[in-house]
Amino acid sequence: MIPRFRRRPRFHREWLRVASLGLVLAASAPADGPQKPVLATTPPADIALPRGWTESAPPASTKAFAPMLAADGDAVLATWLEPLSSGGHRVRFARWRAATWGAATTVREATTLFANWADVPGVVRAPDRSLYAWWLEKSGADTYAYDARLARSTDDGASFRPLGPLHEDRSEVEHGFVAAAPESAGVRFFYLDGRATANGAPMQLRSVYVEGDGIGASEIVDDAVCDCSSTAAAAIPAGTAIAYRDRTAAEIRDIRLAIRPHEGALFNRAVGDDGWRIDGCPVNGPALAARGRNLAVAWFTAPGDRARIRTAISLDGGRSLGPPRTIDAAQPLGRLSLATLPDGFAVAWLARLQEGAELRVARLDEGGVVNRRSTVARTLEGRGAGIPRLAATADRLALAWIDIRGEGLRFATTPLRPR
């Protein structure tokens, strides 16, 4: 049995000392409540957006955080969290199309929401054109006792009808870090399930198929995974792919890729084989994107106290992967996102500065080689920066991130084929 690492009252044990770089990889662990950062110094000035990027302010409050984006044909679907002056939070949804934001809709509003920078709500479009939104809601008194809940919209997001918990387990433990992708006539959801942790066993990665208003029974994808790193899913011709951070008995927490085919047994393989041993969750999950049989995985790792951003490309739907490529080894923080392009992929991540951090975006060709790199904005270093999000429409790449002051969302797009 793998021993669970001990949790502190509000923070996961996830500080990793990087002596060779003289820095701390402070990817703060999840905590409930609004994520207002505490700054020791005045943050550095922001920078102008690179040439070709156009900003479009989302219909969010100045305190909004925890963004998530999803591609939707020629549009982008966005969700985020907003704290309420009366207490509690609300999950908001809006659609961006043709350089214009539609009106924002409230998916769920309550004092019981688990509001978090790393474990965030999201939305996905189903094959029947309905929308499924998910969020996290407290299920007990413990800090990490919460459910992943689901709602469905059949009016293109004007309203959402609650469907209940995504999982059949009703234990007052952690259920979260949801990822989703269309599958067959419905949507395949993946999530971290803590039902076994109450007895000292590891966190599990589970899968649930949802069609219409029906939520199916969950099935195990991996019975020992990292407790608090995000997951990423994508539809592929053979089925659905899921990338996640694994956990072995020796506390090796490398990335794995599982393929759940339409027919046959689930296929699971290592990605990178970094051999990163760390006694706590780094709160830094992988990113995944797919276009047909072309699939890309991006991840943060730090074996030997050397922080790196790496990518690997598959040309056969994840059955095999090309050799990993390091795209940033100069003090990256991670917090990754991926999107598909007509001729490759785009990846976004955070990198450390002497003060604060900067948001970087790179374009990769179909073999994973970086052919263009830019710094888009400055942001915070700690959890107040959240995780930047990418999504691609038919002709533009969209990016959402947290303002450098740690308050409010920013959103910008750039043409997929630069002029």
Side-chain angles (χ1 to χ4, degrees), residues 154-222:
T154 55
D155 56 11
D156 209 29
S159 63
F160 286 85
R161 183 176 69 261
L163 300 182
L166 184 60
H167 40 87
E168 73 276 6
D169 178 57
R170 297 296 186 264
S171 304
E172 293 182 2
V173 294
E174 180 180 330
H175 306 85
F177 293 97
V178 177
E183 181 183 288
S184 301
V187 173
R188 173 68 57 180
F189 289 87
F190 299 87
Y191 69 98
L192 300 191
D193 188 301
R195 68 182 68 187
T197 62
N199 297 318
M203 183 72 72
Q204 300 172 350
L205 174 65
R206 285 183 170 256
S207 164
V208 171
Y209 179 71
V210 177
E211 186 175 337
D213 290 348
I215 301 175
S218 70
E219 57 186 52
I220 291 180
V221 177
D222 195 317

Side-chain angles (χ1 to χ4, degrees), residues 122-350:
V123 69
V124 61
R125 175 80 72 178
D128 67 359
R129 303 302 297 164
S130 65
L131 295 171
Y132 291 99
W134 69 86
W135 68 93
L136 310 172
E137 192 141 348
K138 295 286 292 179
S139 61
D142 185 81
T143 301
Y144 299 101
Y146 58 89
D147 292 335
R149 291 184 167 266
L150 197 65
R152 184 176 182 230
S153 172
T154 55
D155 56 11
D156 209 29
S159 63
F160 286 85
R161 183 176 69 261
L163 300 182
L166 184 60
H167 40 87
E168 73 276 6
D169 178 57
R170 297 296 186 264
S171 304
E172 293 182 2
V173 294
E174 180 180 330
H175 306 85
F177 293 97
V178 177
E183 181 183 288
S184 301
V187 173
R188 173 68 57 180
F189 289 87
F190 299 87
Y191 69 98
L192 300 191
D193 188 301
R195 68 182 68 187
T197 62
N199 297 318
M203 183 72 72
Q204 300 172 350
L205 174 65
R206 285 183 170 256
S207 164
V208 171
Y209 179 71
V210 177
E211 186 175 337
D213 290 348
I215 301 175
S218 70
E219 57 186 52
I220 291 180
V221 177
D222 195 317
D223 62 4
V225 301
C226 208
D227 289 57
C228 51
S229 284
S230 55
T231 62
I236 57 176
T240 310
I242 176 72
Y244 61 98
R245 190 172 292 282
D246 194 30
R247 181 183 180 185
T248 72
E251 298 294 7
I252 302 299
R253 299 175 186 254
D254 287 348
I255 303 304
R256 293 193 73 85
L257 176 69
I259 307 298
R260 192 187 185 285
H262 296 306
E263 298 180 358
L266 183 140
F267 171 77
N268 191 309
R269 59 161 297 133
V271 177
D273 284 326
D274 300 310
W276 185 19
R277 186 187 185 281
I278 176 175
D279 290 332
C281 180
V283 199
N284 225 323
L288 176 69
R291 186 187 69 257
R293 289 170 56 83
N294 289 9
L295 181 149
V297 186
W299 69 99
F300 172 89
T301 187
D305 293 346
R306 293 179 296 115
R308 290 174 287 169
I309 303 296
R310 309 188 82 193
T311 62
I313 303 294
S314 172
L315 303 179
D316 57 8
R319 287 286 172 178
S320 64
L321 288 165
R325 296 177 181 270
T326 297
I327 65 170
D328 192 347
Q331 304 183 10
L333 287 168
R335 324 262 188 96
L336 293 142
S337 185
L338 268 170
T340 58
L341 305 178
D343 55 356
F345 300 90
V347 59
W349 71 98
L350 298 184

